[in-house]
Amino acid sequence: CLSDWSSDVCSSDLLLGIPPQTFDAVKGSSDSLAGLLLEVAGDIPRPRDTVTIGDFLFTILEVDRNRIHKVKLVITPRRAGQ
């Protein structure tokens, strides 16, 4: 889990059952959910852009200049053999 995600993914691990180390392999130097999405996307995403990390599909809902404000998360566990 990222160290400063208290209002992002770390707090949701209790609600969603997301293990704290889920994003360690792709987090880079990010310390927030928005930072993680920027790290993976490689650029500032636009509304309706999606970022997929494993079983997690993030849809960008609101962006203001260079900040991501609102994201929708859909978790779609892969089936065996996929």
Side-chain angles (χ1 to χ4, degrees):
C1 194
L2 301 181
S3 60
D4 195 19
W5 282 26
S6 59
S7 63
D8 292 346
V9 174
C10 284
S11 61
S12 66
D13 67 344
L14 298 174
L15 298 173
L16 302 174
I18 300 171
Q21 68 279 8
T22 299
F23 302 105
D24 284 354
V26 294
K27 72 176 184 171
S29 62
S30 59
D31 62 0
S32 68
L33 177 58
L36 172 71
L37 296 175
L38 291 170
E39 184 90 27
V40 173
D43 201 1
I44 298 171
R46 297 177 182 196
R48 295 185 307 237
D49 282 355
T50 60
V51 176
T52 302
I53 305 171
D55 296 341
F56 302 90
L57 174 66
F58 297 91
T59 302
I60 309 304
L61 301 177
E62 290 181 20
V63 178
D64 179 23
R65 294 172 56 166
N66 62 345
R67 297 190 78 179
I68 298 172
H69 288 283
K70 192 180 246 184
V71 175
K72 175 183 174 183
L73 169 62
V74 176
I75 303 171
T76 53
R78 295 180 218 168
R79 296 183 189 144
Q82 285 187 333

